Structures are given as structure tokens and as C-alpha cells.
Amino acid sequence: MSQDRATVRERAEAVLRRLAGDDARLREDQWRAIEALVVDRRRVLCVQRTGWGKSAVYFVATALLRESGEHGPTVIVSPLLALMRNQVESAARAGIRARTINSANLDEWDEITAEIHAGAVDVLLISPERLNNPDFRDGVLPKLAATTGLLVVDEAHCVSDWGHDFRPDYRRLRTFLAELPERTPVLATTATANERVTQDVAEQLGDALVLRGTLDRESLRLGVIDLPSPAHRLAWLADHLDALPGSGIIYTLTVAAAGETAEFLRARGWSVAAYTGQAEDADRRAAEQDLLDNKIKALVATSALGMGFDKPDLGFVVHLGAPPSPIAYYQQVGRAGRAVEHAEVLLLPGVEDAAIWRYFASLAFPPEEQVRAVLAALRPDRPISTQALEPIVDLRRARLELMLKVLDVDGAVRRVRGGWLATGAPWVYDEARLRRVAQARTAEQQAMREYAATSGCRMRYLRECLDDAGAADCGRCDNCAGPLRTAEVSDTALAAAQSFLGRPGVEIPPKKLWPTGLEAVGVPLKGRIPPAEQALPGRAVGRLSDLGWGGRLRGLVGPDAADGPVPDDVAAAVVEVLKAWAHGDDPWPRRPVGVVAVGSRTHPALVGSLAERIAAVGRLPLLGRVAPTGPAAGGGPRGNSAQRVRALHDAFTVPDELADALAGLDGPVLLVDDLVDSGWTVTMVARLLRRAGAPDVLPLALAVAG
């Protein structure tokens, strides 16, 4: 047997050289993993730092298994298409034939399936979402599981809801694992798992060999630069970007911040591109390629650019705002310095970070009564779509879908063509576990604050957060070796950033379609909103997530904001918005002839004083306010569209005196409100005003959520 293992190692080293070059040699833990997979047919969990060579393990193991007569392909479950593209290219270098099945190549599924059955595919890459796609799950997965030669679970921390990036679709792997033939080897890999996540994943794998290595990254030099405002942080980037080595990534916490940062840096002469989950796939791919080719200095990205992006010579990672956990931070900074001697990693934290963390934490698993309402609405014999469920439960689409996926992996519901079915299986709301996960998230946020404030070694701090037993002072970070960059910003860059962020004005797009399913809950509205009842495009001073106006506006219209008259500086910003709206590139079609206020229960003084100021400055009549009726509208600021419309239907009235004033108008009215969140309040109120005789309605708000 020892000779057999020695022979296998020789073959493994030869495959590695084809993959990574003539000087490549297997690390000891790489060989231990390959040996366990190929010789012992075991299950293995590799927790190793980014750049360690986890992909080499499964490509070498694949080549050896195929050489030994294994007919089934290696199936790699990967989280992002970007990773799949890189992996297909890497496999080709080792002579490994790789294909991918994903939502972007539906027309190739039959062809690829035939190639798999013919033994012509060595590696098949799929996303975790494919595992519960009805067509794939029922038509492809059973045969695939029966013939898989090696199963690889990449970014395996996503399996655990203790991890920073839990994805319910990954829990479908339990079904896949159960259907594998006996002694089918399984490899799970991750660079970002503390001891609790490691144990959780290992338990889900079964009898697994756990190979956990050091998480030190000798090429990274970590630092924190404290700056007093978003304008200072943008100015710092504009001043210091040229001093950062090579090309890199600038991470932001929100989509709005990514767009603003990229726009400002381009205006200052830098070649950068924005990268967010809201961008088109073709635009994201083009931006990735530009960074890979060093055509741009940086990608300004949200966490959408994380797992799956592989640029070994990435020279820097800068965070404008701190991620909510040291584990997430370690993963993102791990993109840098994989094939260069030195890379810089800088955190520029902001006081607004905590508010953004709270918002994302509010999107966690819903309360039990909402879950039970969905379960009660589902039937075992007739599927109900996600859209049809929205009027039943007050959850936004993304959160509702996440909840359904969790129920699916728990066995309480099943996804089929046309929607979701109830299985009838008993289900328990595990409140205690959800509470413990929420407490863990809170502790992670506090740990991130401590990372920014620590006077000790920063790499040691991160490694200890990931339970790295070998954590020691790195000798490289700003606390060990002294700061590499100053916090100074030039007056010119700061003035430019303050001017840029101080520009007020964002568009409020009008709603044109009613949500589906309203008739089922007694609201007689469906299809297209008649043009004669729509609002025109509107304007707001800014978004709550903006780097510039966000903090100021959150203090006025946030859930804890006190009511009071509109401050002078905000009123002045509204006037600037109106000027730009009247004379800019996309002006209003006609000048407004009157002002109407939305009757506000939360901020009546704010909205009322704003309407009065606008009327006075514009020399327009203040026609009145649309009055709220009955109890406060339900649905809350985070309700889904169907719930918001149901709650707002008949929630306002147009008083007689306002109706009389509207009847004789020959131009649009400005409809003034404090906050546009879902957009349905201004839509419903505009409908009332149009039906009462207003020729057109121009919404104007202080802030837009998001």
C-alpha cells in the first residue's frame, strides 16, 4: 500500500506541474487531502487561507480519479459565475475538460448532460441555486448524484448559518450527499471559517478529515486610517490612489456608495469602474476583465465582488466602511497579495457603518407568525408563486424567497414548477437558535469595531477571530511596523469631495404596474396603472444610503428622528433640487402651479413646514394636505409592495376644499413628503389627486430609502 501511495503522489506532483508550472510542489496538507480523496475515498474539509491552493487539490484529485478509470465527473458547487469562469480556464491548463450548468446557458443543458453521460466531461460546475431548480433537481440531479466521481463544495462556510455568508441553497447539499454512492469522495473548502463554523460543516459532511492550516498572509500589510467624514475619505482616495501598488479593489457597504465613489474618482481623473449586484451581468464581466487586464486602477465594489474573483497580482484592497464581521473582512482582503510580495490592505471606517449593519441585520429570518402565515397559505396539491404569497405575508420579495428556501431545506415546503407546495411535514420554529445566531452577529460587529480601534497586531486579531491557533504578531501592519500611509488630504481634493457629495437631487421613478394578487385580498386593482392616474417622475434631496446627504437625512426622517420644522440647510437643498429640476438636462414638463402636502403621522411638522417653505419660495399657493384616515397604515417601511398597497388603499382622503382647488388647475402640483421608501404612498396619493382633478403630480421628498 505504501508503494501505491508513493506512486499516487508522484502522479499527483506531475499533474500539479501541468497545472501550475514546473517548479510547483504539493504542500503537505494538499497531499493529505488528495490522498484521502483518491486512495481512501474519504470526505475532507480544507480550511486554508486564500491562495493556499485549494483548487489545485480538486483538480489534481480529478485527474487522478479519471486516470484510474473513474467514469463520473467531479461536480463542483460554486457560489458565483465569476468563479466558474476562472475554474473552467484553470482546468483547461491541466488538460481537464470542464463545463458549467447555470442560468446563463439553459440552451446548452441537454448537450452538456449528454456529454456527461458519454464520459466526455471531467468537471461540472454548478451554482448552489441549481440544486433546487425543479428541472435540474428532478431531471438532472438524481442521475448526476449516482455517477459523481468527486463532489467539491467550494466556499463551504456558506453551508452553516453560523457563517458570515449563509446561503440556504447550500443546505440542499445534504440531499446530494445522501444520494451519492458509498465511498464517493467529497471535498469541502473554505478560507473563512472559525471553529464553530468548521465543526458545523464537518458534522454536515459526516465522517470528515479536517485539514486546518495557518491563516497568516505574509504578503498583506494591514492598516486603519481614521477620517472624520465621507468627504475626507473620498478626498483621501483621490490623493493617495496613485501611491497604492498595482491595481486593486475599493469595497463599499452599499450600492449607492459604490456608484458615488466611482463617479467622484472618475471626475478626479482616475480610471475606475463600479461593480454591484444590481449591474447587468455583461457590465460586471467587462469590469472584472478590465481589472484582470490592469486597464483600470480599481474596481469600486460591494460584497457582490467577493467569492469567486481571482486576480493573483491584486496590489491593494481598501474598504470605505467596515464589513459587519472580521471573518467577512478577512475573506475580502484575502483577494489581495496572492502572487505579489507586498499588498496593502486599508480600512477607512465611518460612523455610519453601524446604521448600515443594523439595516442588513433587520433582513434576518422573519418572526414565527409570518412564517406560519405562509405555511397556512400553501397547499400540497396546487403550487402558489412567490408573487401570489406577497399579499398574504408582509415581507419584501427577497426576504420572502430566503424564508421559503430555508423552509424548503427544512422539508416543510417544496419548490416545483409554478411555485411552492406544502409538504405537510411537521416544522418547528427554532427561536433559540435564531436568537443565538443574532447574538453571534452582534458580537461580530463589536469585534469589527475593536479591530479598527486595537493597538495590537491587526493580522493577529483577525486570525484569532477565526480561531487560528498559531496566531502571532505579523510585524507588518501599521501597529507592528508603523503607518505606511498618512491620513492627510489636500484642500483641493477635500473641497472637490465636499462639493460632489453636497449636490442634492435624486430621481423618484413613477410606479406603472400594480403588484400582483391584490384582488385576492380585496383590493380591486391589477395590471397597469392608467396613465391618467400615474405620478410623473419626482425628485428627492438624497438617499438614506448616500455618502453625502445620507447621514443628515437619516437624522430627519429615520425611525427615531424627532419631528420639527425643516432645517434651513435642508430647505436650501430642496430649493437647489427644484432649480435643477426646472432648468437641468431632464426638466419637469410644466412648471407646477400649486403645492400639496402628504398628511404625515410621524413627521407632520417637518412635512408641513417644508410645504410652506416651498410654496413661499416658489410663490405658489399651498393648496392643502391629503388627510390620513383611520389607524396608521400597516405594512411598515419594509413591507412588500402588495402589503403596502393593501394597507394604503383608502388610507387617505382628499378634503373638499383641496378637491375644489384642484378642479380649476391648469398645471401640475408638487406633492411634498418626507420619505419615499417603497414608493407606494406617493403613488396612491398621486392617484387620488389625479382622480380629484389634478392635471399632473410631481412628487418631491426629502429622502429616498435605500
Side-chain angles (χ1 to χ4, degrees):
M1 178 62 71
S2 59
Q3 177 60 41
D4 290 342
R5 292 178 188 271
T7 301
V8 172
R9 178 153 192 171
E10 288 178 9
R11 289 162 50 212
E13 296 281 5
V15 174
L16 181 70
R17 289 193 292 273
R18 294 204 307 267
L19 183 69
D22 291 341
D23 296 330
R25 297 291 183 274
L26 285 172
R27 304 175 191 272
E28 195 53 38
D29 271 358
Q30 286 177 317
W31 161 242
R32 289 182 65 196
I34 293 166
E35 179 184 39
L37 295 168
V38 175
V39 179
D40 301 325
R41 303 299 178 103
R42 288 197 61 186
R43 296 183 176 186
V44 179
L45 171 59
C46 271
V47 183
Q48 303 285 355
R49 68 183 188 274
T50 301
W52 175 83
K54 296 182 286 293
S55 62
V57 171
Y58 50 75
F59 282 141
V60 170
T62 294
L64 297 184
L65 288 168
R66 298 291 274 180
E67 286 178 11
S68 67
E70 178 60 61
H71 296 297
T74 291
V75 177
I76 303 176
V77 181
S78 298
L80 295 178
L81 291 178
L83 179 63
M84 293 186 185
R85 291 191 290 269
N86 287 337
Q87 298 286 39
V88 169
E89 294 169 2
S90 298
R93 291 198 296 271
I96 296 170
R97 298 160 296 180
R99 299 296 301 268
T100 176
I101 287 180
N102 58 67
S103 57
N105 68 346
L106 293 175
D107 56 336
E108 299 178 23
W109 281 25
D110 290 342
E111 175 189 341
I112 295 170
T113 302
E115 291 177 358
I116 292 170
H117 294 326
V121 174
D122 299 318
V123 170
L124 176 67
L125 295 105
I126 59 174
S127 69
E129 291 76 18
R130 285 305 100 203
L131 297 175
N132 206 31
N133 172 279
D135 290 338
F136 184 85
R137 183 195 63 213
D138 299 333
V140 178
L141 191 57
K143 294 178 182 176
L144 189 61
T147 59
T148 293
L150 167 65
L151 174 63
V152 177
V153 184
D154 210 7
E155 307 296 351
H157 60 273
C158 296
V159 172
S160 172
D161 58 7
W162 294 108
H164 72 278
D165 194 25
F166 169 60
R167 301 188 182 194
D169 288 301
Y170 261 80
R171 297 295 284 270
R172 274 285 145 211
L173 287 163
R174 290 185 297 188
T175 303
F176 200 165
L177 287 167
E179 295 175 352
L180 291 173
E182 189 177 355
R183 297 190 76 239
T184 300
V186 177
L187 172 66
T189 69
T190 179
T192 49
N194 59 20
E195 188 58 34
R196 176 160 50 186
V197 173
T198 299
Q199 291 177 0
D200 190 9
V201 175
E203 287 172 7
Q204 294 188 52
L205 287 176
D207 181 22
L209 169 67
V210 178
L211 298 173
R212 189 181 179 100
T214 175
L215 297 178
D216 191 20
R217 292 292 308 282
E218 296 89 347
S219 63
L220 300 186
R221 182 165 187 181
L222 307 180
V224 175
I225 299 177
D226 284 307
L227 295 163
S229 72
H232 282 81
R233 293 194 286 278
L234 286 190
W236 187 93
L237 274 177
D239 281 342
H240 296 269
L241 198 54
D242 62 338
L244 298 178
S247 55
I249 301 170
I250 301 167
Y251 277 110
T252 66
L253 298 185
T254 67
V255 172
E260 285 180 296
T261 302
E263 183 183 352
F264 174 73
L265 290 175
R266 283 194 295 265
R268 300 299 295 171
W270 289 106
S271 177
V272 299
Y275 186 106
T276 74
Q278 294 183 7
E280 294 292 333
D281 181 62
D283 293 335
R284 292 198 300 270
R285 293 181 66 167
E288 289 173 15
Q289 195 60 51
D290 283 347
L291 184 63
L292 289 169
D293 295 339
N294 293 317
K295 292 180 179 178
I296 55 177
K297 181 67 177 178
L299 277 185
V300 185
T302 63
S303 59
L305 183 77
M307 295 181 298
F309 183 75
D310 182 16
K311 179 176 168 59
D313 62 342
L314 206 69
F316 65 89
V317 171
V318 176
H319 278 78
L320 293 185
S325 79
I327 300 174
Y329 185 63
Y330 178 87
Q331 184 199 57
Q332 290 178 355
V333 303
R335 307 259 69 81
R338 297 174 62 177
V340 293
E341 270 191 50
H342 302 290
E344 293 188 40
V345 171
L346 297 170
L347 172 63
L348 280 58
V351 294
E352 67 275 10
D353 296 351
I356 297 170
W357 298 342
R358 284 194 298 272
Y359 171 76
F360 286 114
S362 73
L363 304 180
F365 197 71
E368 183 172 5
E369 60 270 18
Q370 291 181 313
V371 184
R372 295 294 178 190
V374 171
L375 290 173
L378 292 174
R379 298 176 51 173
D381 55 347
R382 190 176 69 191
I384 300 178
S385 69
T386 307
Q387 297 94 317
L389 287 169
E390 284 186 312
I392 298 167
V393 62
D394 192 11
L395 295 170
R396 285 192 173 172
R397 178 75 58 83
R399 197 174 177 205
L400 176 58
E401 289 178 339
L402 179 68
M403 182 192 75
L404 287 164
K405 288 179 178 180
V406 172
L407 292 174
D408 192 350
V409 299
D410 286 346
V413 306
R414 179 174 172 82
R415 185 184 174 195
V416 297
R417 278 198 173 196
W420 302 86
L421 294 174
T423 65
W427 181 81
V428 176
Y429 187 87
D430 195 348
E431 185 173 356
R433 181 176 176 84
L434 292 171
R435 190 184 308 114
R436 291 195 300 270
V437 172
Q439 290 169 348
R441 297 287 180 269
T442 300
E444 289 170 348
Q445 293 172 10
Q446 181 56 33
M448 201 63 219
R449 294 186 186 94
E450 293 171 1
Y451 169 82
T454 186
S455 59
C457 173
R458 298 197 193 275
M459 180 58 79
R460 178 174 190 153
Y461 187 93
L462 291 180
R463 292 173 66 187
E464 287 175 345
C465 287
L466 274 87
D467 299 322
D468 184 352
D473 288 358
C474 69
R476 304 179 303 272
C477 70
D478 57 351
N479 287 336
C480 286
L484 188 61
R485 304 289 169 202
T486 73
E488 294 179 0
V489 298
S490 67
D491 292 340
T492 301
L494 181 58
Q498 289 170 333
S499 175
F500 174 81
L501 294 178
R503 305 173 307 167
V506 296
E507 183 174 339
I508 302 171
K511 301 283 189 183
K512 296 184 178 181
L513 293 171
W514 295 116
T516 57
L518 290 175
E519 290 182 305
V521 292
V523 179
L525 299 171
K526 66 177 181 178
R528 182 175 175 82
I529 302 174
E533 297 181 1
Q534 293 180 18
L536 292 172
R539 294 291 187 277
V541 173
R543 298 180 184 86
L544 295 182
S545 58
D546 283 348
L547 292 175
W549 278 99
R552 184 76 174 101
L553 294 172
R554 286 194 298 272
L556 287 176
V557 304
D560 301 322
D563 190 25
V566 62
D568 289 344
D569 64 320
V570 178
V574 172
V575 172
E576 291 302 312
V577 170
L578 289 169
K579 288 180 181 177
W581 200 1
H583 305 295
D585 295 334
D586 187 20
W588 52 42
R590 289 183 291 170
R591 188 180 191 276
V593 298
V595 178
V596 177
V598 175
S600 173
R601 289 187 176 86
T602 55
H603 299 110
L606 179 66
V607 176
S609 65
L610 176 61
E612 291 172 0
R613 295 280 289 265
I614 292 170
V617 170
R619 299 178 182 178
L620 299 170
L622 181 57
L623 302 175
R625 73 177 190 129
V626 179
T629 61
R638 297 191 179 100
N640 63 51
S641 291
Q643 287 286 334
R644 289 299 293 160
V645 172
R646 182 174 71 166
L648 291 164
H649 193 245
D650 298 329
F652 291 93
T653 61
V654 177
D656 291 342
E657 58 272 23
L658 176 55
D660 292 341
L662 294 172
L665 296 180
D666 60 356
V669 296
L670 281 172
L671 178 62
V672 178
D673 204 357
D674 56 346
L675 173 65
V676 173
D677 185 0
S678 67
W680 287 112
T681 297
V682 294
T683 299
M684 298 297 284
V685 172
R687 177 175 180 263
L688 283 178
L689 295 177
R690 296 293 306 275
R691 289 163 71 97
D696 275 313
V697 176
L698 295 164
L700 177 69
L702 292 178
V704 173

